[in-house]
Amino acid sequence: MKPAAFDYVAPRTVDEALNALGDTRRDVRVLAGGQSLILEMHLQRIRPDLVVDINRVAGLDRLSVNDGTVEIGALVRHGVFESPQAVPGPLGRLFALAAVNIAHPPIRACGTMVGSLAWAHPASEWCAIALALDAAIEVRSTGGAREIAARDYFRGPFQTARARDELITSVRFPLPADGTGVGFMEHRRTHFCFAQVAVAAALSAQDGLISDARIGLVNCADRPIRAHAAEQVLIGREITVPAVGNRLPGGHPFARAGRIAADQDAAPLAEPYADPEYRRQVIAVLVGRTLRQAAEGVLQ
Amino acid sequence: MKITLTVNGDDYPLDVEPRRILADVLREDCRLTGTHLGCEHGVCGACTVLVDGKAVRSCLMLAVQCDGRSVRTVEGLAGPDGEPHPLQRAFSAEHALQCGFCTPGFLMVAAGALEADPTIGDDPERVHGLVESNICRCTGYEPIRRAIMRAAAESAFADPSGGGEEPAAGGRPEF
Ligand SMILES: Cc1cc2nc3c(=O)[nH]c(=O)nc-3n(C[C@H](O)[C@H](O)[C@H](O)COP(=O)(O)OP(=O)(O)OC[C@H]3O[C@@H](n4cnc5c(N)ncnc54)[C@H](O)[C@@H]3O)c2cc1C
Ligand code: FES
Ligand code: FES
């Protein structure tokens, strides 16, 4: 199918974009990378009245670091994050580990991190990281600006706390301290597929004991989630990893956290090719491996 | 909507509905049918073209988004005298096409990547990553990977004095 007819505007400033979005009687959609929106329009699952193309809005492509946070504008493309140097420290490493899992280079040249947060696909890699690292989503409308904490933002599959007339101008991440270890792992069928399970993790330790543990899970429930129960069992544990090539013993805190993430935190929905029981098994294994990868970063 | 696309260096003043995707406008309005449409889902890569030098899916881009931008399609690869592009020569030499349906997409994804960073051709892993972007249902990926590496080694993407053997088939590939 082809997209149904719609009106199109390409504003040059944020204010012009907000004015266009303010017409709430019509179905108005922001066009960023278009890598989800135009696909949905082809399938006519979305039939907007007006498309507001923000690609010519000045300033939205900015990526800036100040006061321990990194702010990523609405037009920063996925591909930028393939370089671990795009963002300083452990966060840059985590972004780079995740970015290569998102589709393939031509999609990553167009699609944006903020577009992924706006779309809120239950399997989106960026959504896992935004939750795990307490990102803040910056939105604006003609009525003013507000900030939505990632923990309050995801409301269901493709559902968020953003109001229809709000533009996400940027997302802000606090920069984790330098000694933080990060991990990202994903299981999917082919390169073109969304994740069957993806896990983002960050660990910090003091005097050899885990002081902070963050685990974000996607495609493990109807929306991106944080594995709070699994995180709890890690706090205060000794941070150790088995020698390279050795499996995690069943009683290892990372293996236990994996089991708890799968059984208590996750609520996988039925989907083709990967039923919930299978996905729980994958979650248990992947959470263990991702924590191990993060711990190796701490111990280096 | 009135727009101007610059395709392979030529200006095309067009009047297009916003709903029309770039691939359809290239094929139907510009009459450049080298760009193929397979899935229209961003998956197969047959529709890949360069927009301002970057490889993108022309099925997931509106033509109106490209107003004033520079588009390059497979028709823009050959030299002014019709001399095939080094990638086209290498695809022919390595038997990297059978039915040819996927070929324009592979050529453009490779052209975009090699022009941005000719060193990609030195690293089989990176070429592998590139080839994973698109789908070929008959030739198989290994000859395509070899062709991209051959073109990188033999052509002016990299060092023009780079040498290398002459491609086996020098003629114009049949697309
Ligand atoms: C073949 C293929 C494979 C893919 N695989 C993956 C994958 O593995 N993982 C993954 O995460 N994604 C994947 N994607 C989706 C891709 O990452 C998209 O780029 C992303 O989901 C949306 O970003 P976008 O910038 O393209 O947004 P668009 O498609 O432009 O917009 C998506 C939605 O968000 C809204 N929106 C966008 N930006 C804003 C904003 N600033 N403010 C308010 N609303 C906004 C739009 O109105 C629209 O409803 C894949 C896509 C394809 C085609
Ligand atoms: S037709 Fe565009 S990716 Fe398949
Ligand atoms: S040559 Fe036939 S699909 Fe690739």
Side-chain angles (χ1 to χ4, degrees):
Chain A
M1 270 195 287
K2 304 286 178 187
F6 54 84
D7 293 330
Y8 170 89
V9 288
R12 304 291 165 139
T13 66
V14 170
D15 283 337
E16 283 168 28
L18 298 182
N19 281 331
L21 274 175
D23 182 0
T24 48
R25 285 158 309 163
R26 300 207 288 168
D27 184 357
V28 185
R29 302 283 177 152
V30 174
L31 172 66
Q35 303 302 288
S36 295
L37 181 64
I38 296 179
L39 175 58
E40 293 298 310
M41 285 164 48
H42 271 302
L43 300 169
Q44 298 207 359
R45 289 195 291 226
I46 297 182
R47 296 169 55 118
D49 299 308
L50 173 64
V51 168
V52 182
D53 178 359
I54 59 171
N55 285 281
R56 292 176 200 251
V57 174
L60 289 183
D61 58 353
R62 214 169 287 139
L63 192 162
S64 56
V65 179
N66 35 37
D67 293 342
T69 61
V70 55
E71 180 160 9
I72 297 157
L75 289 177
V76 180
R77 316 284 164 180
H78 302 314
V80 168
F81 302 102
E82 284 174 56
S83 158
Q85 281 83 41
V87 168
L91 188 60
R93 289 199 292 280
L94 180 56
F95 282 166
L97 289 172
V100 289
N101 291 285
I102 302 173
H104 34 72
I107 304 280
R108 296 203 287 269
C110 293
T112 63
M113 178 188 277
V114 164
S116 287
L117 297 173
W119 184 232
H121 191 294
S124 152
E125 289 82 0
W126 296 138
C127 295
I129 298 179
L131 267 178
L133 295 190
D134 286 323
I137 289 103
E138 307 288 334
V139 299
R140 265 171 75 180
S141 69
T142 48
R146 66 181 179 127
E147 180 179 292
I148 312 172
R151 84 180 82 84
D152 304 322
Y153 175 75
F154 298 103
R155 295 279 171 87
F158 307 100
Q159 284 162 30
T160 71
R162 177 183 81 87
R164 282 176 48 190
D165 62 343
E166 284 174 328
L167 175 74
I168 307 180
T169 49
S170 66
V171 54
R172 285 198 302 114
F173 287 84
L175 286 171
D178 272 345
T180 309
V182 292
F184 192 95
M185 296 225 175
E186 169 159 329
H187 184 63
R188 60 167 178 248
R189 282 196 316 137
T190 77
H191 226 76
F192 303 101
C193 296
F194 279 82
Q196 285 181 336
V197 171
V199 184
L203 288 177
S204 335
Q206 262 171 9
D207 307 325
L209 303 181
I210 296 172
S211 53
D212 188 36
R214 293 157 175 277
I215 305 171
L217 300 179
V218 285
N219 215 34
C220 297
D222 70 346
R223 69 195 76 177
I225 57 168
R226 183 101 179 243
H228 287 296
E231 291 170 0
Q232 279 314 310
V233 305
L234 293 170
I235 303 298
R237 303 280 154 195
E238 209 180 317
I239 185 159
T240 58
V241 284
V244 176
N246 289 356
R247 297 181 52 180
L248 282 180
H252 191 283
F254 297 163
R256 292 208 357 251
R259 203 62 255 171
I260 287 171
D263 294 339
Q264 296 179 26
D265 292 306
L269 305 182
E271 66 173 36
Y273 314 117
D275 60 50
E277 269 324 294
Y278 168 74
R279 291 229 299 296
R280 279 195 208 274
Q281 198 53 38
V282 175
I283 294 166
V285 173
L286 270 198
V287 167
R289 286 186 194 165
T290 313
L291 289 168
R292 177 181 183 149
Q293 186 184 31
E296 280 161 358
V298 176
L299 296 172
Q300 248 169 26
Chain B
M1 236 182 106
K2 292 211 180 345
I3 61 167
T4 302
L5 296 186
T6 306
V7 189
N8 304 326
D10 298 330
D11 284 348
Y12 289 81
L14 301 165
D15 193 0
V16 296
E17 277 183 279
R19 66 193 284 259
R20 296 192 58 224
I21 54 168
L22 176 61
D24 285 339
V25 169
L26 289 170
R27 290 176 56 84
E28 293 161 14
D29 299 42
C30 304
R31 302 268 167 198
L32 295 168
T33 52
T35 301
H36 294 168
L37 275 165
C39 63
E40 304 197 337
H41 280 46
V43 172
C44 74
C47 67
T48 308
V49 300
L50 305 185
V51 175
D52 290 340
K54 276 204 184 122
V56 302
R57 303 304 208 213
S58 62
C59 68
L60 293 183
M61 192 167 271
L62 305 171
V64 290
Q65 284 180 269
C66 300
D67 184 17
R69 303 221 144 109
S70 159
V71 181
R72 213 157 138 225
T73 68
V74 69
E75 288 90 344
L77 284 183
D81 48 359
E83 173 65 14
H85 186 274
L87 271 164
Q88 292 170 312
R89 283 207 309 271
F91 267 59
S92 167
E94 294 287 352
H95 299 284
L97 64 157
Q98 286 186 27
C99 76
F101 190 83
C102 68
T103 310
F106 275 105
L107 287 170
M108 296 321 285
V109 88
L114 289 176
E115 281 167 12
D117 179 3
T119 65
I120 287 177
D122 306 337
D123 181 347
E125 276 304 301
R126 288 171 75 194
V127 177
H128 180 87
L130 203 61
V131 168
E132 266 176 347
S133 298
N134 289 18
I135 289 177
C136 171
R137 283 296 189 232
C138 50
T139 302
Y141 300 94
E142 196 42 36
I144 297 175
R145 196 176 62 80
R146 280 203 307 270
I148 295 172
M149 298 192 64
R150 175 191 277 249
E154 286 177 356
S155 77
F157 290 121
D159 174 14
S161 65
E165 48 192 297
E166 267 298 294
R172 193 187 177 87
E174 288 166 19
F175 292 114

